[in-house]
Amino acid sequence: MPDIEYLKKLALIGAINKIIKVSSSKFQKHTGASSKTAARKLKQLEEDGLIERKIVPGGQLIKMTEKGIEVLKNEYVDYSRIFSPELDVLELEGNVLKGLGEGQYYVNIPGYRKQFEEKLHFVPFPGTLNVQLSESSSPLRNLLRETPAIRVEGFNDGERTFGGGNCYPVVIGGIEAAVVVPERTHYPSNLIEIIAPVKLRDALKLNDGDRVVVKLKKQGTENQK
């Protein structure tokens, strides 16, 4: 396990958004550790791939890596679970984004479509709504792993093999829908794809950039696998 406290201190002094210049002695003041310990911790964070570091006159230039940011996001999720265990509904917010056409392609494949109809209990519109999660909601996406999922199995149609994935029932604008998370995808982790029995863009009068709230049901899906 990486030393979260030292990584957190770097984030608090700006290393999560930009390159900062800091010396071991200055970093010591933020951590309360000795200068020697602070230097050792920074070196360890670099070796773990959590920060990028360059030694320069008067100190070092430091910026957190994507891996380091992900570690802090997971920590945030853990605290959310600790202090808000009573929540039955998890709300994710973001902005509507133009898709790459992957969703429309896969929803129309019979092997997937049949499973969607049987397991989600609706006939999906042949397309998906793509939502780019806000900075505050992106970490919460990891909570999907803790939520009971509706499994979509992979299959072979005789010509090629298609991978499986998970579906998570949600409500968006009062419409029952589902977030689809394929096992293999080219999409970034802050993007979710939503299928529904209607074209959500038309039903909710959505345009690219519009803000939406997606309510994920955290309970009550245990028997829907």
Side-chain angles (χ1 to χ4, degrees):
M1 288 290 293
D3 199 319
I4 297 293
E5 289 303 314
Y6 287 86
L7 193 63
K8 194 186 304 181
K9 293 298 182 183
L10 285 173
L12 288 171
I13 60 177
I16 198 168
N17 297 315
K18 60 185 179 181
I19 298 173
I20 62 170
K21 183 178 180 180
V22 63
S23 64
S24 296
S25 58
K26 181 180 178 182
F27 190 52
Q28 168 199 6
K29 296 177 181 178
H30 292 281
T31 63
S34 67
S35 180
K36 184 177 180 180
T37 297
R40 179 167 53 83
K41 294 293 185 178
L42 289 174
K43 184 174 185 296
Q44 186 62 52
L45 290 175
E46 180 184 24
E47 291 175 352
D48 289 342
L50 304 179
I51 65 171
E52 294 176 349
R53 190 171 66 121
K54 181 180 180 181
I55 306 299
V56 296
Q60 46 205 309
L61 301 178
I62 296 174
K63 185 178 182 183
M64 203 169 296
T65 64
E66 287 298 321
K67 181 180 178 182
I69 293 172
E70 189 64 25
V71 166
L72 288 183
K73 284 182 177 180
N74 289 334
E75 185 80 351
Y76 172 78
V77 168
D78 286 343
Y79 281 123
S80 296
R81 293 175 60 204
I82 291 170
F83 293 108
S84 301
E86 74 286 352
L87 293 179
D88 292 331
V89 176
L90 173 68
E91 290 191 356
L92 303 174
E93 67 171 9
N95 299 96
V96 175
L97 194 68
K98 184 176 181 180
L100 300 178
E102 277 189 26
Q104 181 174 351
Y105 173 70
Y106 284 105
V107 169
N108 281 309
I109 295 174
Y112 286 130
R113 190 173 184 83
K114 182 180 179 181
Q115 292 188 71
F116 289 147
E117 293 179 19
E118 292 177 349
K119 298 179 179 183
L120 298 177
H121 309 297
F122 64 74
V123 178
F125 171 80
T128 62
L129 182 73
N130 296 271
V131 176
Q132 185 174 33
L133 298 177
S134 65
E135 287 189 12
S136 60
S137 287
S138 290
L140 297 178
R141 187 185 188 280
N142 292 333
L143 284 177
L144 289 178
R145 302 170 188 168
E146 310 292 334
T147 305
I150 296 173
R151 179 67 184 169
V152 175
E153 301 296 342
F155 59 91
N156 189 300
D157 65 358
E159 295 183 2
R160 59 171 291 191
T161 298
F162 295 86
N166 292 322
C167 293
Y168 301 90
V170 298
V171 175
I172 177 171
I175 298 173
E176 298 283 341
V179 171
V180 180
V181 182
E183 290 176 344
R184 299 190 297 265
T185 180
H186 301 298
Y187 284 167
S189 60
N190 67 340
L191 184 69
I192 59 174
E193 284 189 284
I194 303 171
I195 61 174
V198 297
K199 185 176 182 180
L200 291 171
R201 279 180 176 266
D202 291 350
L204 301 177
K205 297 180 173 56
L206 297 173
N207 296 308
D208 289 346
D210 285 352
R211 177 184 173 277
V212 292
V213 175
V214 181
K215 297 182 179 181
L216 174 70
K217 301 175 183 176
K218 294 177 66 178
Q219 297 180 1
T221 61
E222 290 86 347
N223 299 322
Q224 298 183 39
K225 290 184 181 181

